[in-house]
Amino acid sequence: MIEQINILRENGEKKLNSITSSEQLQEWYQQYLGRKGDLTSLLKNLGNLSTKDRPIVGKIINKVKHELQESFELRQKAMRETILNQELEIDDLDVSLPGRPCITGHLHLATQTLRRIYNIFQEMGFQVYEAPEVESDEYNFQLLNIPEYHPARDMWDTFWVNDEIVLRTHTSPGQIWAMREYFPKPIRVILPGKCYRFEQITPRSEHQFYQVEGLAVGKNIRLTDLIGVMSEFAHKMYGAERKVRIRGSYFPFTEPSIEIDMTCSCGDKGCRLCKYTGWLEVAGAGMVHPVVLQNGGYNPEEWSGFAFGMGVERPAMLKHTIDDIRNFYSNDLRFLQQF
Ligand code: DAH
C-alpha cells in the first residue's frame, strides 16, 4: 500500500507540473484531493489493514495529502500570475492614460432659473416656503376670494381629482398656508412650485409649469413697496437697464391689482419676443385683498400686504431664446444639455 501511495504522489506531482489550464487544474484536484479522489479512497481502505499498520499508513497518507495540497496551491498561484500577465500583455494597459470622465448630470434649466429667483429675493429678505401641489377647492379658489360660481374661475382651467380636490392651478393658495402658519408675525416669503392647468398644449403653454408667488404681510406695506421690490427683481434678473411699468389689472385676491411689465431687450425697437410693443410681462401682482388677509387670519384693519405671481419657464425662454415651452418637459437631452 505504501508503494501505491508513493506512486500516486509522484504521478500527482508530475501531472500537476504539466497542467496548462485552470480546467485541468480543477480536474487534477478532483482526481487526487477531491471527496471522491484517490487519496480519499485510500483513506477509506485503511480499515482493511491490521491495527498495527493502520496508524502508520494513515499518517503517511495524510502527509502526502498535505504535500499535494501545498503543491496544488503553489501551482494555482503560479497559474493565476501567468494568466494575469498574459491578460496584461494582450490588454496593453497604459496606466498613464487619463481616466474616462464620468457623466454627471446638471440642474434642469427650470431649477436653475428658480434658484436665480430665490437668490434675488433672498437678498431682499424673502424666504422660500413650500405649499402643497394637490389642493382643495377651498384653498385653490374659495379662500382666495373666488367662490364657487365666480366667473373668475374661468381664468383657470383645472384638473380635478374629485369634486373637492384639484391639482393647484396657481401658487396663490400658498399665501393662505403661509399666513395661517406665521400669524401673528409679519411675512416675507416666496412660494415656488409646479402648477397644473387643463390647457391645450402649444409652444407657449404646457399643462404643467412652475410659478413663483411672493407674499409680504406687515403693518405698513404699500403698493410702492411692491413696485420697488419688483423693479429690483427685474434689474437683478434681467439687467439694470430695464425699465418697469405698471398697468391696472384684475385678480380676485388682490385689490388693487396690477400687471408688471419691463422693457424688452430689443430696447424700444420692437421684436418678435415683445410682439413689437417693446414691453414684456413680468408678473401679476397687487395688494392682498382684505378678504384674503382675513382668511389667512390677519385683520385687514391692522395689517396690509402685497402679493405677486410669475412664471418661471417664460423668463428662461426669453433669456435663452427658446421658442417652445414643451422642450422643458420632453426630456430631450439634446435640449437640456445646452444649459
Ligand atoms: N395666481 C395668478 C395666476 O396664476 C398670478 C397672480 C396674480 C398671483 C396676482 C398673485 C397676484 O399673487 O397678486 O394667474
Side-chain angles (χ1 to χ4, degrees):
M1 188 149 176
I2 294 190
E3 180 101 348
Q4 224 181 327
I5 299 171
N6 280 334
I7 292 173
L8 193 109
R9 192 186 61 192
E10 261 172 47
N11 284 345
E13 296 281 5
K14 239 194 254 161
K15 227 171 153 184
L16 193 60
N17 283 328
S18 65
I19 275 173
T20 52
S21 72
S22 48
E23 289 81 28
Q24 284 174 0
L25 193 67
Q26 281 314 313
E27 276 167 27
W28 182 93
Y29 188 90
Q30 301 296 343
Q31 186 187 338
Y32 290 92
L33 299 168
R35 271 196 300 130
K36 289 180 185 155
D38 293 351
L39 273 172
T40 318
S41 48
L42 280 180
L43 274 172
K44 278 184 192 150
N45 288 338
L46 276 182
N48 303 335
L49 297 178
S50 68
T51 34
K52 193 168 116 293
D53 288 345
R54 213 178 286 159
I56 301 169
V57 177
K59 222 168 161 186
I60 294 174
I61 297 179
N62 272 330
K63 194 168 150 253
V64 169
K65 197 172 171 185
H66 276 126
E67 283 169 4
L68 285 179
Q69 179 73 33
E70 234 166 69
S71 306
F72 169 80
E73 278 161 19
L74 281 176
R75 184 80 196 131
Q76 192 178 39
K77 202 167 152 220
M79 277 188 59
R80 279 197 189 135
E81 268 165 31
T82 321
I83 290 169
L84 182 66
N85 284 333
Q86 280 168 356
E87 278 177 2
L88 286 179
E89 253 168 50
I90 297 165
D91 263 6
D92 228 356
L93 180 79
D94 181 353
V95 289
S96 67
L97 279 176
R100 297 195 184 114
C102 342
I103 301 167
T104 52
H106 69 288
L107 294 177
H108 192 281
L109 178 58
T111 311
Q112 293 177 33
T113 313
L114 276 169
R115 292 196 179 178
R116 285 188 63 213
I117 298 174
Y118 298 167
N119 284 339
I120 295 169
F121 281 105
Q122 193 180 345
E123 285 172 6
M124 293 190 269
F126 286 77
Q127 68 190 73
V128 172
Y129 186 95
E130 302 226 21
E133 265 178 47
V134 182
E135 271 296 3
S136 56
D137 179 281
E138 190 189 13
Y139 270 74
N140 195 77
F141 295 120
Q142 296 167 40
L143 294 171
L144 294 172
N145 204 25
I146 316 170
E148 199 170 348
Y149 292 105
H150 196 290
R153 285 198 184 213
D154 293 347
M155 288 160 76
W156 295 278
D157 302 300
T158 313
F159 282 118
W160 292 95
V161 176
N162 57 35
D163 287 349
E164 272 144 42
I165 308 291
V166 296
L167 301 187
R168 70 174 168 200
T169 57
H170 51 180
T171 42
S172 303
Q175 291 187 31
I176 304 287
W177 288 101
M179 282 192 272
R180 289 187 171 180
E181 177 164 339
Y182 284 115
F183 182 81
K185 289 185 226 133
I187 303 177
R188 232 185 280 178
V189 291
I190 50 172
L191 306 127
K194 276 269 178 66
C195 304
Y196 304 86
R197 289 188 197 169
F198 185 57
E199 294 229 43
Q200 175 145 28
I201 298 169
T202 69
R204 283 179 62 80
S205 56
E206 255 287 4
H207 64 271
Q208 60 167 30
F209 51 92
Y210 279 103
Q211 278 191 344
V212 174
E213 186 90 8
L215 174 69
V217 177
K219 284 283 164 72
N220 255 317
I221 295 199
R222 301 153 197 241
L223 191 64
T224 45
D225 296 319
L226 168 62
I227 296 170
V229 164
M230 294 316 282
S231 312
E232 178 73 5
F233 170 73
H235 294 155
K236 289 252 169 75
M237 185 84 180
Y238 300 100
E241 71 290 352
R242 303 281 181 154
K243 285 197 201 83
V244 169
R245 79 173 180 188
I246 306 299
R247 279 181 293 125
S249 185
Y250 169 74
F251 298 101
F253 31 85
T254 41
E255 181 58 38
S257 301
I258 59 172
E259 205 87 45
I260 298 161
D261 301 340
M262 67 173 180
T263 45
C264 181
S265 56
C266 64
D268 47 16
K269 288 200 286 290
C271 70
R272 253 183 57 206
L273 275 182
C274 61
K275 299 193 193 118
Y276 302 94
T277 61
W279 294 95
L280 298 165
E281 284 173 25
V282 178
M287 297 307 288
V288 182
H289 197 287
V291 167
V292 176
L293 276 175
Q294 190 106 52
N295 289 340
Y298 287 78
N299 179 356
E301 302 290 322
E302 250 181 88
W303 299 85
S304 59
F306 67 71
F308 58 85
M310 61 184 154
V312 173
E313 291 88 350
R314 286 268 166 77
M317 289 169 75
L318 290 176
K319 183 155 187 275
H320 300 287
T321 33
I322 297 165
D323 57 8
D324 195 327
I325 194 172
R326 291 172 290 191
N327 285 323
F328 279 82
Y329 303 107
S330 58
N331 276 344
D332 186 337
L333 290 179
R334 289 169 303 177
F335 169 77
L336 296 174
Q337 279 164 351
Q338 294 176 60
F339 309 102

